[in-house]
Amino acid sequence: MKDNTNKPGLVVMSTKEQGFESMVHAYSKDLYRYGYWLSKDNGIAEDLVQETFLRAWRAIDSLKDAKAAKSWLFTILRRENARRFEKKSAQAELTTLDDDMVEIFATVEDDFANVDNMAVRAALRQLPTSYAEPLVLQVIGGYSCDEIATIIDAKPGAVMTRVFRARQKLRKLLEEDEAKLASI
Amino acid sequence: MIMEDMNCLAARRIMTTDITDKSSAFAQHVANCPTCKSFFEKQLKFNSVLKRAAEVEVPEGLASRILVEHNLNKKKDGTKKYRWSAIVASVMLVFAVSLVSTFNSQPAIAGVILEHAHEELWVLEDKGHVTLESLNQLLKLHGVRADDKIGYATHAGNCMIQGKQGVHIVFAGENAPVTLIVFPEALDDSKSVRISDHFFKGVLMGTNKGTLAILSEDEESLKKFEARLSTSLMTFI
């Protein structure tokens, strides 16, 4: 058999392969979850992750900073999801966060610490994707509003508003469902 | 409420939108304002509830499936690359064959063998090991037998060349794969003939039942295989 171990080109190839495998192991779960909350479908979520890594491999040479890999992958997945739709519906940009809203929201006392997981998931599913998406990126990806704005190509102010409204709506949904809040 | 650099409203705006905020002004305000501290703790709890809910179960073996798919696609891309080479090669071959007929430097069979090799470029992809026994099963019909010095075969199969059945074998070479084609049509001249086109270099050798062609894109791989062949492959008398 041929021995290519001393060929620099193949050593680089191997490192690239290893880097790719590390990315798959490190980020596939978070990407799947992001894909799930975008599509709300297990099969589509897995397809999105597969396609994301397929595209990532083809463009891996363009990734100069390994630290940016996670955000890069999230962005690819988001684009893949957008491709599923023939036309992107124009989403109303929400750019301001009313101070009154913050004050009203700040009076809520519940922390929902013991709320049933399934109830929260059901509530999350009811959120419009434009609200759920930045929230999921925040809680799963650990991203700041500025980082989310870059990933979803929106203004930071709009992201803040969406996150705020997502949280507000979730609380409302959970409060409304008295049966599911019985364990609190 | 304590009014530091950041006021309660600004702190709550952060808590309800960007809970990942790690600015010192925010941390300082939360540390010094009991109301906001309590509110922040509740937000953190709610966040952990959300995180738990958002972390839906991931299908088992997802990462493995992605890597399997990745490897399959790499192979497909490699095959595509060879197919593109084949298309380019076919165009070049028309030119090469016309040169052969013009200058009569290669026997007519060279064009046929080279054309076949270009049509079947996909077999150069390493598909695993073919045993010596399998090789000899195929070679037997053509009066040829190989021994274990012949090398590591990655593809072996019957093929049709101008309506005649031949054998097409690919070996792992030093730097590039080496193709061995056994063709039932005999050479006009029993002497070995060097052949080449823009992609392959090779040699045609007459046997008592037909012709052997050895081809490789790499000269060194070709020479080493030729040397090996002379000691390992025997033509039946």
Side-chain angles (χ1 to χ4, degrees):
Chain A
M1 278 299 281
K2 53 188 170 184
D3 179 10
N4 291 312
T5 49
N6 293 326
K7 295 195 169 182
L10 291 175
V11 172
V12 171
M13 199 56 185
S14 159
T15 308
K16 199 159 90 174
E17 275 286 344
Q18 283 169 5
F20 180 78
E21 279 198 35
S22 303
M23 284 202 306
V24 171
H25 287 296
Y27 304 128
S28 57
K29 286 185 179 177
D30 281 350
L31 285 167
Y32 174 87
R33 287 166 179 147
Y34 179 43
Y36 175 82
W37 288 111
L38 284 180
S39 64
K40 299 184 176 79
D41 182 284
N42 291 308
I44 293 172
E46 182 157 348
D47 287 348
L48 285 172
V49 181
Q50 286 276 13
E51 197 59 34
T52 297
F53 279 110
L54 187 71
R55 286 185 187 271
W57 171 252
R58 286 179 186 154
I60 201 160
D61 291 332
S62 67
L63 179 67
K64 304 295 176 203
D65 180 7
K67 286 178 192 164
K70 188 177 169 184
S71 303
W72 182 62
L73 291 167
F74 271 79
T75 306
I76 296 174
L77 189 141
R78 188 171 195 274
R79 284 192 196 132
E80 279 312 305
N81 184 55
R83 281 194 186 95
R84 290 196 303 124
F85 303 99
E86 284 187 0
K87 60 182 174 96
K88 282 186 205 172
S89 59
Q91 290 172 341
E93 278 291 297
L94 305 165
T95 53
T96 55
L97 186 57
D98 195 325
D99 283 349
D100 292 342
M101 284 168 26
V102 178
E103 282 203 297
I104 293 163
F105 188 43
T107 60
V108 177
E109 292 298 321
D110 294 321
D111 57 24
F112 297 100
N114 301 313
V115 76
D116 176 47
N117 219 22
M118 296 311 287
V120 184
R121 271 183 201 170
L124 263 173
R125 274 191 206 98
Q126 288 182 60
L127 287 182
T129 307
S130 59
Y131 288 176
E133 183 182 18
L135 186 66
V136 167
L137 282 169
Q138 191 177 74
V139 296
I140 287 177
Y143 291 117
S144 69
C145 285
D146 283 352
E147 290 167 325
I148 295 167
T150 307
I151 293 170
I152 70 172
D153 194 22
K155 290 176 183 162
V159 172
M160 284 174 79
T161 307
R162 287 184 202 173
V163 169
F164 172 81
R165 291 204 172 148
R167 287 174 181 271
Q168 188 186 39
K169 213 168 172 58
L170 271 178
R171 283 180 178 273
K172 202 175 171 197
L173 285 165
L174 291 168
E175 280 168 348
E176 279 171 4
D177 196 341
E178 285 183 7
K180 285 170 185 164
L181 292 172
S183 60
I184 294 173
Chain B
M1 290 187 203
I2 296 169
M3 300 299 280
E4 300 289 336
D5 290 337
M6 182 177 279
N7 63 31
C8 292
L9 191 63
R12 288 184 184 207
R13 182 193 292 270
I14 289 170
M15 286 184 254
T16 52
T17 57
D18 207 349
I19 206 159
T20 59
D21 191 298
K22 291 179 179 68
S23 69
S24 57
F26 173 67
Q28 202 180 350
H29 180 87
V30 169
N32 295 319
C33 175
T35 316
C36 284
K37 189 179 178 186
S38 162
F39 183 73
F40 185 52
E41 282 164 2
K42 283 177 180 167
Q43 291 303 310
L44 286 176
K45 277 185 190 170
F46 185 55
N47 219 48
S48 64
V49 169
L50 280 181
K51 191 173 188 315
R52 215 168 51 231
E55 284 177 345
V56 291
E57 204 174 318
V58 176
E60 211 173 310
L62 175 68
S64 307
R65 282 198 295 283
I66 292 165
L67 291 171
V68 166
E69 185 76 15
H70 163 66
N71 286 324
L72 284 172
N73 275 305
K74 267 199 321 183
K75 287 202 169 187
K76 272 187 215 161
D77 285 347
T79 310
K80 273 184 206 160
K81 207 160 59 189
Y82 277 121
R83 284 194 176 143
W84 272 110
S85 304
I87 291 165
V88 174
S90 301
V91 174
M92 295 298 288
L93 193 67
V94 174
F95 180 66
V97 168
S98 68
L99 281 181
V100 168
S101 56
T102 307
F103 299 105
N104 204 23
S105 57
Q106 296 188 137
I109 197 172
V112 174
I113 298 277
L114 287 167
E115 189 177 5
H116 174 76
H118 282 287
E119 280 169 0
E120 302 276 301
L121 275 176
W122 61 274
V123 300
L124 298 180
E125 285 289 302
D126 189 340
K127 291 184 174 60
H129 184 222
V130 180
T131 63
L132 182 64
E133 195 185 350
S134 305
L135 292 185
N136 280 327
Q137 281 288 333
L138 293 165
L139 291 169
K140 197 175 171 182
L141 287 170
H142 299 272
V144 181
R145 182 175 171 77
D147 67 21
D148 57 1
K149 292 192 203 90
I150 192 149
Y152 185 93
T154 58
H155 167 84
N158 288 315
C159 62
M160 294 303 283
I161 305 173
Q162 287 197 327
K164 292 177 184 169
Q165 188 178 300
V167 174
H168 196 137
I169 304 171
V170 177
F171 294 91
E174 282 300 297
N175 305 310
V178 178
T179 301
L180 173 70
I181 294 171
V182 185
F183 186 53
E185 193 171 299
L187 276 172
D188 298 336
D189 191 332
S190 59
K191 278 188 257 174
S192 296
V193 183
R194 291 271 154 199
I195 60 170
S196 66
D197 64 10
H198 73 287
F199 189 75
F200 284 119
K201 295 166 188 66
V203 61
L204 297 181
M205 292 180 281
T207 73
N208 60 336
K209 284 196 171 181
T211 305
L212 285 184
I214 313 161
L215 306 168
S216 179
E217 60 196 280
D218 175 66
E219 190 95 46
E220 194 188 344
S221 305
L222 182 71
K223 280 183 182 165
K224 293 209 169 169
F225 186 79
E226 272 185 71
R228 215 157 64 222
L229 196 71
S230 63
T231 58
S232 68
L233 193 74
M234 300 173 294
T235 305
F236 285 149
I237 298 167

